[in-house]
Amino acid sequence: MSSLKNRIRRLLPIVGLFGLAAVATPVVLGVFGLVTWAEAVLAITVLLLGVAVCGLGMGLRRLRLSVLELSTSVRTQTGQVTELFGQDRLELARSLDGVRAEVKELRDTALPRAVHNITRSGVRSGREDYEQQVAWTELREYLDVAPFMPPLRGWAASPDVLRILVRIIDRDRPELVVECGSGASSVWIGYALRKAGAGRLVAIEHDARYAELSRALVAAHSLADIVEVRHAPLTPVPAELADGVSAEVPWYDTEALTDLKGVGLVFIDGPPAATGPEARYPAVPALLSSCAEGAVFVLDDADRLDERALGDRWLAAHPELTRVEEATEKGAHVFTRTP
Ligand SMILES: C[S@@+](CC[C@H](N)C(=O)[O-])C[C@H]1O[C@@H](n2cnc3c(N)ncnc32)[C@H](O)[C@@H]1O
């Protein structure tokens, strides 16, 4: 289109010259009297009309070309837009397929599995709550405790393991009970010993602050004549008290244990697991020589892999021990020293 314009622009001076000559010719002929002035004017008019018709034709041609160009461009753009929309729709359809597959997986597999798991854990925790409630009620009624007792479960021992301890106290009437890790249970064991009519509890506590709190609890229940809370910070363990995994893990300072004799029951509920792997292992090697014949060790939290493993090591190192696994809330393994 632009080359045509250029060509026309180049031809314009020649066309102008021809036009001028064409207009001048009738005038010159008129001047020399070769044609009349009317014929000269007619010739010029016809000439101008011809020029106007040519101009109109050229204008129409240019208009047609422009329309053609416009329609081509509209067609091209429409094609591009359609193609873009087409791709978008394809991508949308693909992503919708993905969403549909995920919704199907959710509906058919994940959701039923989640509902099943939630229901199962709801049923399990309902049963667990009921069992702990029963054990709590039995303990309260049997031990004739104060109206407001330190709460159990959570960080403290659960009612079901305390019920096991109370039964052993009732059966064996131990002269001395040792507890590793003081707290609410120290009070409950104190009530059990008071009901048994004999025996003392020494509760070993590594944390000075909790030792103080446990002492205050014991005093609030007027059990200080039965329960003694001893602070024994965690220190490196003498080589003979730990082997294998627990060798590098600190345990209660054994200075706090030297005067203990005739221990009939040991409740192992500390040190906390965060102290290190198999942190409770030294309890048996440290206390066995202070124990009476037929002494019993109750290991709480025995559902944990560490506690199971250290129990296995006790049995291997001390053939006089036998183990009974109790299905309590946190798992309780009862080790008895057989004569
Ligand atoms: C597994 S807990 C159990 C303590 C105790 N045998 C009982 O059942 O209540 C072990 C440690 O918890 C810490 N502890 C004691 N009283 C606590 C309390 N009121 N809140 C949080 N932790 C406490 C003590 O350091 C204790 O040695």
Side-chain angles (χ1 to χ4, degrees):
M1 188 70 190
S2 59
S3 70
L4 181 71
K5 268 184 192 168
N6 287 340
R7 257 183 279 150
I8 290 170
R9 211 172 285 136
R10 264 184 264 123
L11 284 173
L12 266 178
I14 302 162
V15 172
L17 275 176
F18 271 107
L20 212 62
V23 172
T25 306
V27 174
V28 171
L29 290 175
V31 167
F32 288 105
L34 292 176
V35 293
T36 65
W37 282 110
E39 285 168 340
V41 169
L42 188 67
I44 289 168
T45 309
V46 168
L47 209 70
L48 288 175
L49 268 175
V51 168
V53 167
C54 276
L56 200 65
M58 279 171 69
L60 279 173
R61 189 182 142 73
R62 274 185 66 183
L63 191 66
R64 209 175 127 251
L65 282 174
S66 300
V67 168
L68 264 176
E69 218 171 77
L70 192 68
S71 74
T72 311
S73 134
V74 166
R75 219 177 302 126
T76 314
Q77 307 238 2
T78 310
Q80 284 172 350
V81 169
T82 312
E83 199 178 318
L84 274 177
F85 270 127
Q87 275 173 2
D88 278 358
R89 275 169 55 189
L90 207 66
E91 275 165 24
L92 193 68
R94 268 194 214 125
S95 65
L96 271 179
D97 278 353
V99 171
R100 253 184 238 119
E102 276 173 27
V103 169
K104 186 171 159 35
E105 143 79 10
L106 258 178
R107 194 192 51 207
D108 295 352
T109 317
L111 213 58
R113 200 186 307 134
V115 168
H116 175 74
N117 287 345
I118 290 167
T119 311
R120 210 173 48 173
S121 91
V123 168
R124 199 188 307 130
S125 85
R127 196 185 312 131
E128 200 57 71
D129 288 348
Y130 171 73
E131 281 168 12
Q132 297 313 314
Q133 187 60 47
V134 167
W136 167 270
T137 310
E138 286 175 359
L139 283 172
R140 283 193 64 90
E141 284 175 4
Y142 183 68
L143 295 177
D144 189 21
V145 292
F148 303 107
M149 286 295 287
L152 297 172
R153 297 182 89 180
W155 63 269
S158 295
D160 56 4
V161 73
L162 273 163
R163 189 171 50 185
I164 291 172
L165 291 167
V166 170
R167 281 189 165 154
I168 295 169
I169 289 170
D170 258 12
R171 184 193 67 195
D172 296 352
R173 309 277 158 160
E175 174 189 320
L176 182 59
V177 179
V178 173
E179 179 181 42
C180 299
S182 72
S185 60
S186 313
V187 172
W188 287 86
I189 295 170
Y191 274 102
L193 289 169
R194 196 176 70 182
K195 182 171 171 69
R200 288 186 312 118
L201 168 68
V202 173
I204 310 291
E205 175 57 55
H206 71 281
D207 186 310
R209 197 167 41 111
Y210 283 129
E212 212 38 66
L213 271 177
S214 300
R215 256 178 230 126
L217 265 183
V218 167
H221 287 266
S222 308
L223 290 166
D225 56 328
I226 297 173
V227 180
E228 179 194 349
V229 180
R230 282 189 191 176
H231 177 222
L234 299 178
T235 56
V237 193
E240 68 275 16
L241 296 191
D243 61 357
V245 189
S246 60
E248 303 297 317
V249 181
W251 197 70
Y252 304 105
D253 186 351
T254 48
E255 280 297 307
L257 312 175
T258 47
D259 64 323
L260 303 179
K261 296 279 172 297
V263 179
L265 172 62
V266 182
F267 179 40
I268 305 161
D269 199 18
T275 319
E278 298 188 15
R280 297 176 180 182
Y281 179 81
V284 164
L287 287 163
L288 200 57
S289 60
S290 308
C291 284
E293 285 296 323
V296 178
F297 291 79
V298 176
L299 174 65
D300 201 11
D301 306 304
D303 281 348
R304 300 192 302 219
L305 291 179
D306 260 19
E307 269 59 31
R308 170 163 292 283
L310 69 87
D312 291 345
R313 293 206 288 132
W314 284 343
L315 292 178
H318 305 281
E320 68 269 39
L321 293 180
T322 53
R323 173 169 61 188
V324 172
E325 300 180 15
E326 298 283 357
T328 56
E329 183 174 35
K330 300 174 186 172
H333 289 179
V334 179
F335 297 82
T336 306
R337 183 194 209 183
T338 44

